[in-house]
Short mmCIF file of all heavy atoms in Angstrom, two decimals:
data_model
loop_
_atom_site.label_atom_id
_atom_site.label_comp_id
_atom_site.label_asym_id
_atom_site.label_seq_id
_atom_site.Cartn_x
_atom_site.Cartn_y
_atom_site.Cartn_z
N ARG B 123 -32.69 73.97 215.48
CA ARG B 123 -33.56 74.21 214.32
C ARG B 123 -34.98 74.52 214.79
O ARG B 123 -35.72 75.24 214.13
CB ARG B 123 -33.58 72.98 213.40
CG ARG B 123 -32.30 72.81 212.61
CD ARG B 123 -32.26 71.47 211.94
NE ARG B 123 -32.23 70.39 212.93
CZ ARG B 123 -31.98 69.12 212.65
NH1 ARG B 123 -31.79 68.74 211.41
NH2 ARG B 123 -31.96 68.21 213.61
N GLN B 154 -47.82 80.58 230.78
CA GLN B 154 -47.42 79.17 230.87
C GLN B 154 -46.24 78.87 229.94
O GLN B 154 -46.16 79.39 228.82
CB GLN B 154 -48.58 78.25 230.50
CG GLN B 154 -48.25 76.77 230.68
CD GLN B 154 -49.41 75.86 230.36
OE1 GLN B 154 -50.42 75.86 231.07
NE2 GLN B 154 -49.30 75.10 229.30
N GLY B 160 -44.26 67.05 230.23
CA GLY B 160 -43.90 65.75 230.82
C GLY B 160 -44.57 64.57 230.13
O GLY B 160 -44.14 63.43 230.28
N LEU B 169 -37.03 73.35 228.01
CA LEU B 169 -37.91 74.16 228.87
C LEU B 169 -37.14 75.37 229.41
O LEU B 169 -37.68 76.48 229.48
CB LEU B 169 -38.46 73.31 230.02
CG LEU B 169 -39.42 72.18 229.64
CD1 LEU B 169 -39.93 71.48 230.89
CD2 LEU B 169 -40.59 72.70 228.81
N ALA B 219 -52.52 65.62 246.01
CA ALA B 219 -51.45 65.02 246.83
C ALA B 219 -50.20 64.78 245.96
O ALA B 219 -49.07 65.07 246.37
CB ALA B 219 -51.92 63.71 247.45
N ILE B 237 -63.81 69.32 232.86
CA ILE B 237 -65.20 69.17 233.29
C ILE B 237 -66.08 68.55 232.21
O ILE B 237 -67.27 68.38 232.40
CB ILE B 237 -65.76 70.53 233.75
CG1 ILE B 237 -65.52 71.62 232.68
CG2 ILE B 237 -65.08 70.97 235.04
CD1 ILE B 237 -66.30 71.53 231.45
N TRP B 239 -65.44 66.84 227.81
CA TRP B 239 -64.43 66.24 226.91
C TRP B 239 -64.82 66.54 225.47
O TRP B 239 -65.92 67.03 225.20
CB TRP B 239 -64.31 64.74 227.17
CG TRP B 239 -62.97 64.16 226.83
CD1 TRP B 239 -62.73 63.22 225.85
CD2 TRP B 239 -61.70 64.44 227.44
NE1 TRP B 239 -61.38 62.91 225.85
CE2 TRP B 239 -60.72 63.64 226.80
CE3 TRP B 239 -61.29 65.31 228.46
CZ2 TRP B 239 -59.37 63.68 227.13
CZ3 TRP B 239 -59.94 65.35 228.80
CH2 TRP B 239 -59.01 64.55 228.15
N THR B 283 -59.48 73.70 211.53
CA THR B 283 -58.53 73.92 212.62
C THR B 283 -58.52 72.78 213.62
O THR B 283 -57.71 72.80 214.56
CB THR B 283 -58.88 75.23 213.36
OG1 THR B 283 -60.24 75.16 213.78
CG2 THR B 283 -58.66 76.44 212.46
N PRO B 304 -69.61 74.71 230.81
CA PRO B 304 -70.67 75.51 231.43
C PRO B 304 -71.43 76.38 230.43
O PRO B 304 -72.65 76.48 230.48
CB PRO B 304 -69.91 76.37 232.44
CG PRO B 304 -68.70 75.57 232.79
CD PRO B 304 -68.34 74.81 231.54
N LYS B 314 -74.00 73.06 233.87
CA LYS B 314 -72.77 73.27 234.66
C LYS B 314 -72.58 74.74 235.05
O LYS B 314 -71.95 75.04 236.05
CB LYS B 314 -71.54 72.80 233.88
CG LYS B 314 -71.42 71.30 233.83
CD LYS B 314 -70.08 70.84 233.36
CE LYS B 314 -70.11 69.34 233.21
NZ LYS B 314 -70.31 68.87 231.85
N PHE B 318 -71.83 75.32 238.81
CA PHE B 318 -70.52 75.87 239.19
C PHE B 318 -70.67 77.21 239.90
O PHE B 318 -69.93 77.52 240.83
CB PHE B 318 -69.62 76.04 237.95
CG PHE B 318 -69.09 74.75 237.38
CD1 PHE B 318 -69.53 73.52 237.84
CD2 PHE B 318 -68.12 74.76 236.39
CE1 PHE B 318 -69.03 72.33 237.31
CE2 PHE B 318 -67.61 73.58 235.85
CZ PHE B 318 -68.07 72.36 236.31
N PRO B 364 -42.59 61.26 189.02
CA PRO B 364 -42.90 59.83 188.87
C PRO B 364 -43.87 59.34 189.94
O PRO B 364 -44.80 58.58 189.63
CB PRO B 364 -41.53 59.15 189.03
CG PRO B 364 -40.52 60.22 188.73
CD PRO B 364 -41.15 61.52 189.11
N ALA B 433 -57.26 54.67 181.16
CA ALA B 433 -58.28 55.28 182.03
C ALA B 433 -57.62 56.25 183.02
O ALA B 433 -56.52 56.01 183.50
CB ALA B 433 -59.03 54.19 182.80
N LEU B 463 -50.20 49.16 191.01
CA LEU B 463 -51.43 48.52 190.53
C LEU B 463 -51.07 47.08 190.23
O LEU B 463 -50.23 46.82 189.35
CB LEU B 463 -51.94 49.25 189.28
CG LEU B 463 -53.25 48.73 188.69
CD1 LEU B 463 -54.39 48.73 189.70
CD2 LEU B 463 -53.64 49.56 187.46
N ARG B 502 -74.40 75.86 196.10
CA ARG B 502 -74.64 77.22 196.61
C ARG B 502 -76.13 77.53 196.65
O ARG B 502 -76.88 77.13 195.75
CB ARG B 502 -73.92 78.22 195.71
CG ARG B 502 -74.23 79.67 196.00
CD ARG B 502 -73.31 80.58 195.21
NE ARG B 502 -72.16 80.94 196.02
CZ ARG B 502 -71.05 81.49 195.54
NH1 ARG B 502 -70.91 81.71 194.26
NH2 ARG B 502 -70.07 81.80 196.36
N THR B 568 -80.49 65.16 198.20
CA THR B 568 -81.43 66.27 198.26
C THR B 568 -80.69 67.58 198.01
O THR B 568 -79.54 67.71 198.39
CB THR B 568 -82.11 66.34 199.64
OG1 THR B 568 -82.67 67.64 199.83
CG2 THR B 568 -81.12 66.12 200.77
#
Side-chain angles (χ1 to χ4, degrees):
R123 286 169 296 190
Q154 185 178 293
L169 294 183
I237 51 71
W239 207 244
T283 55
K314 286 194 185 99
F318 287 9
L463 182 56
R502 172 171 266 165
T568 161

